[in-house]
Amino acid sequence: MTMTRRTKQNLDTAMQSEAFTHALYLRFAARARMHKNWKLAQVFQTIADTERTKHFAEGANLAGLVSNDAENLRYALNEKRAQAAMCGRFAIQARADGDVTAAACFEKLRTDENTQADTLEAAFRVESAQCPACLVEA
Ligand SMILES: [Fe+2]
């Protein structure tokens, strides 16, 4: 059965929520560890791990997001460049709003996203040179 547009949007929203929760709970766990609250840290860590390894993974499989290495590299590269562009727009808007702290944060994120995109491009070149067939194996 083909997935409806609404279900695809709902799946995207659910996966974004799972990914956000995973990342945020890792920060919560780190904060608890800094204060030597080991049991609470383990609670956050366990839930964060489940969000990534189970909930997000199940959504990604259902959405068919993981493909061969070549497609995964293309997807990641496009995503990184889009994130960099978004952060650049957000930096401009924050600056226009007079929020120099947020503008600097978005500008740093833009730079980091572009650096990651450069890393992905380099990886694609290396992989293509070493084993082009490996990149497109399912
Ligand atoms: Fe979850």
Side-chain angles (χ1 to χ4, degrees):
M1 179 177 179
T2 303
M3 187 177 292
T4 65
R5 182 182 170 138
R6 178 174 61 184
T7 297
K8 176 70 174 82
Q9 288 174 337
N10 288 342
L11 184 56
D12 288 348
T13 299
M15 285 190 303
Q16 288 169 3
S17 175
E18 299 292 353
F20 181 82
T21 301
H22 164 72
L24 185 58
Y25 281 28
L26 286 182
R27 301 304 307 149
F28 291 167
R31 197 266 181 204
R33 277 191 294 274
M34 280 176 41
H35 292 84
K36 303 190 184 325
N37 193 343
W38 310 116
K39 284 187 178 178
L40 181 59
Q42 189 56 50
V43 168
F44 283 129
Q45 184 71 50
T46 299
I47 295 172
D49 291 346
T50 299
E51 299 295 65
R52 179 180 59 85
T53 62
K54 191 168 183 345
H55 300 174
F56 181 85
E58 288 170 358
N61 286 341
L62 180 61
L65 288 179
V66 180
S67 184
N68 61 46
D69 290 346
E71 289 303 315
N72 294 340
L73 277 165
R74 279 190 200 93
Y75 181 95
L77 181 57
N78 288 337
E79 191 74 20
K80 285 292 153 195
R81 294 296 186 209
Q83 286 176 327
M86 177 188 72
C87 288
R89 288 191 305 275
F90 289 172
I92 290 168
Q93 291 172 357
R95 219 172 287 118
D97 292 342
D99 192 337
V100 293
T101 303
C105 180
F106 285 129
E107 198 53 49
K108 169 90 171 63
L109 290 173
R110 185 188 70 79
T111 300
D112 287 352
E113 298 297 341
N114 274 326
T115 300
Q116 290 175 336
D118 294 343
T119 299
L120 290 164
E121 283 182 340
F124 188 82
R125 282 193 300 276
V126 168
E127 296 291 325
S128 296
Q130 288 177 346
C131 182
C134 297
L135 278 175
V136 293
E137 287 177 5

